[in-house]
Amino acid sequence: MKLSEELIYRGFKAETTIENPEDLDNRESKKFYWGADPSADSLTIGNLAAIMMCACFVRHGYQPYLLVGGATGQIGDPKENGERELKSLDEVEHNKKCIKGQVEKVISNTTSRLVPSRPSSRGSGTQSAPVVADGFEAALPNHSDLTLVDNYDWFKDMKYLDFLREVGKAFSMTQLLDRQFVQNRIGDGGSGISYAEFSYTLIQGYDFLHLYREHGVALQLCGADQYGNCTSGIHLIKRLENGTADVWSTPLIIDPVTGRKFGKSEGNAIWLASSDNGGGNYTSVFDFYQFWLNQPDESVEYLIKIYTLLEKEEIEEILAKHREHPEERLAQKALARGATEVVHGKEAADAIENLTAMLFAKDTDFSEFTEDEILEFAKYLPTEKKGVSLLDALVNNGLAESKKKAREFIAQGAITINGEKVKEDIVVNQTAIIKKGKNKFLIIK
């Protein structure tokens, strides 16, 4: 498929300034950027959908610039319904490093399959080194022409008056007040908006202008909720450089069953981090895999196109077999495998498939697992240290919302330790597998 065809097939098209998607197939400048603000110490599967769109562009020969918003993260992307709480500078820096590592890993896992090796100008048979610009010291995994940037690097020395003269004078208040998020905040019943968040769109617009000037980037990719902010960059490029640029957005990922979007603001976040970076924003590899495995039939055909690297022919074959035998859940298994491999790598995906098979087999005897086997499971399941009370372990890891609820689970016989039902709260001093119900697990080590 051509790029334009694949974007439509996978559902990666919402608002755009490009009238004919086929123009992307033969675009003269094949550079784009996509950005993420460090509002938390992990990205979510909502962000992952946009990264998968980026990988699609890379697959078709585009050069990616990935921006982590060290500057915009200090302000906060305006919400529809209220002011964001400002992050401390230390928190922004911490979040930025965490997100940077996640983006590197996902891009590595996707481009290793999508981007062919290209000869380096330094010699045949090796890839050209990835570019790391504007202050990042650590290079990305060895894939071609990948540039990671941080907008703090071009804003940290910018003077306020210079910004107002160059950027502020390029926008009219009428133009800014017409933005939908501003209208929602200042209209009847609105919560109001600070000058800082009102200015966010100018800062993001300048990012596009900077990348256009310094790197020749003339295309920005984004989620549909960022389309308005992205057009600010187009305006600046046209006004200050007499240049042409475009924005291509992808729809927000909506759960077809619940109607809620996949993201942290909805309280249903599935995080890309598999362990706690300090903010409690993580989803174990096992739970990540289980999330996709438990998708209903009405969701899986939509999600498998977005969250896996499977080709169209592979997807259509899987879906055809799935429709014939839905009880085998072939599509869910392919989705879970593909999404886990993208985020956590092939080795983790292999291990989780094997672990899932063992934990859910009808004839599994949990008392027969050795200590070494249980410790191997701990790489992918939530863990607690030995010496913890059972009640604390259940609450700390979200297997019960309170100690009262945990006691109810114990009384109902829903909690086992190494296959044995527990009748009361105890201190767990041995390496063990705690199981709640049919599909919730915790390792004590």
Side-chain angles (χ1 to χ4, degrees):
M1 284 190 290
K2 296 179 180 179
L3 171 60
S4 57
E5 295 171 334
E6 186 165 1
L7 291 171
I8 302 302
Y9 173 72
R10 293 188 183 274
F12 292 140
K13 181 180 182 296
E15 284 188 277
T16 178
T17 58
I18 299 171
E19 294 185 7
N20 184 0
E22 292 183 2
D23 291 344
L24 291 169
D25 300 330
N26 301 302
R27 193 176 178 91
E28 183 177 347
S29 171
K30 289 196 171 184
K31 294 181 178 182
F32 73 83
Y33 98 90
W34 171 80
D37 272 356
S39 56
D41 57 8
S42 176
L43 298 175
T44 71
I45 58 173
N47 305 119
L48 178 61
I51 299 177
M52 296 302 288
M53 174 181 64
C54 293
C56 189
F57 274 82
V58 173
R59 177 177 186 170
H60 290 274
Y62 275 73
Q63 181 178 343
Y65 287 73
L66 303 177
L67 182 147
V68 178
T72 39
Q74 294 184 29
I75 303 301
D77 182 19
K79 298 188 295 185
E80 294 284 339
N81 56 1
E83 199 79 8
R84 288 188 184 273
E85 182 179 345
L86 285 176
K87 304 290 185 183
S88 70
L89 298 185
D90 287 344
E91 189 175 3
V92 169
E93 185 64 24
H94 168 74
N95 292 351
K96 186 172 69 175
K97 289 179 179 178
C98 294
I99 288 175
K100 171 177 170 283
Q102 289 175 359
V103 171
E104 289 177 351
K105 185 172 183 179
V106 172
I107 291 297
S108 173
N109 291 340
T110 55
T111 57
S112 60
R113 175 172 175 175
L114 296 179
V115 183
S117 297
R118 285 185 281 180
S120 167
S121 59
R122 299 177 185 175
S124 60
T126 59
Q127 288 182 307
S128 56
V131 181
V132 180
D134 298 305
F136 278 119
E137 296 178 0
L140 291 166
N142 192 28
H143 297 292
S144 298
D145 302 327
L146 186 62
T147 305
L148 189 63
V149 295
D150 178 358
N151 59 11
Y152 179 73
D153 291 303
W154 53 83
F155 275 111
K156 62 184 178 181
D157 296 321
M158 181 174 288
K159 296 180 180 179
Y160 181 62
L161 291 179
D162 292 339
F163 183 78
L164 289 181
R165 285 178 63 86
E166 182 174 25
V167 179
K169 290 290 283 185
F171 289 88
S172 71
M173 286 298 295
T174 302
Q175 183 181 11
L176 296 174
L177 289 170
D178 281 342
R179 296 289 170 84
Q180 187 60 51
F181 78 88
V182 176
Q183 290 295 316
N184 291 344
R185 295 277 290 273
I186 66 175
D188 291 341
S191 61
I193 187 169
S194 68
Y195 177 71
E197 288 197 7
F198 181 76
S199 302
Y200 182 96
T201 189
L202 303 187
I203 299 173
Q204 186 169 326
Y206 186 83
D207 288 342
F208 202 171
L209 176 65
H210 175 87
L211 293 175
Y212 177 88
R213 285 172 168 173
E214 299 299 320
H215 300 284
V217 177
L219 175 64
Q220 182 174 1
L221 306 185
C222 65
D225 59 338
Q226 288 295 312
Y227 183 78
N229 286 334
C230 296
T231 59
S232 295
I234 293 176
H235 175 77
L236 282 177
I237 289 168
K238 182 177 181 180
R239 180 78 178 268
L240 301 181
E241 296 294 323
N242 195 29
T244 301
D246 289 296
V247 173
W248 180 279
S249 71
T250 187
L252 299 181
I253 307 303
I254 304 297
D255 186 325
V257 177
T258 66
R260 300 166 68 194
K261 70 178 183 179
F262 287 169
K264 56 183 178 291
S265 62
E266 294 292 318
N268 61 337
I270 301 297
W271 303 95
L272 303 194
S274 60
S275 58
D276 194 355
N277 290 315
N281 304 318
Y282 69 98
T283 300
S284 71
V285 182
F286 179 82
D287 286 340
F288 186 88
Y289 181 89
Q290 294 299 317
F291 170 81
W292 303 109
L293 192 62
N294 290 318
Q295 289 299 312
D297 288 344
E298 52 266 48
S299 301
V300 71
E301 294 193 20
Y302 160 67
L303 297 173
I304 196 172
K305 298 174 183 178
I306 296 170
Y307 287 105
T308 76
L309 297 175
L310 295 169
E311 302 288 351
K312 179 180 179 180
E313 293 75 15
E314 295 175 282
I315 292 173
E316 297 305 317
E317 181 179 355
I318 290 168
L319 293 180
K321 292 179 179 178
H322 173 77
R323 295 183 192 108
E324 291 178 4
H325 299 284
E327 72 281 0
E328 295 181 6
R329 302 182 66 79
L330 295 176
Q332 282 88 347
K333 291 175 182 177
L335 169 62
R337 165 76 199 204
T340 303
E341 189 169 330
V342 160
V343 175
H344 299 293
K346 184 179 184 302
E347 181 180 343
D350 289 340
I352 287 299
E353 280 188 328
N354 294 332
L355 178 58
T356 298
M358 284 190 287
L359 294 180
F360 291 102
K362 292 181 179 180
D363 59 351
T364 295
D365 185 345
F366 285 81
S367 66
E368 292 184 354
F369 286 123
T370 67
E371 182 172 352
D372 287 343
E373 287 175 323
I374 295 174
L375 292 176
E376 187 67 21
F377 298 163
K379 294 180 180 179
Y380 307 105
L381 291 168
T383 64
E384 278 283 349
K385 292 182 179 180
K386 294 177 184 178
V388 67
S389 74
L390 180 57
L391 292 180
D392 285 338
L394 294 174
V395 173
N396 292 346
N397 290 274
L399 274 67
E401 60 188 33
S402 66
K403 288 188 176 181
K404 179 182 178 181
K405 199 68 178 177
R407 290 189 184 95
E408 290 178 11
F409 290 142
I410 293 172
Q412 294 164 1
I415 307 298
T416 64
I417 296 180
N418 289 341
E420 296 291 330
K421 288 186 179 181
V422 183
K423 299 179 179 179
E424 60 185 355
D425 182 30
I426 62 172
V427 175
V428 187
N429 287 313
Q430 79 271 32
T431 301
I433 303 175
I434 294 176
K435 183 180 179 183
K436 174 205 164 189
K438 293 182 179 180
N439 58 7
K440 292 293 183 181
F441 300 89
L442 173 66
I443 302 298
I444 305 296
K445 65 173 187 175

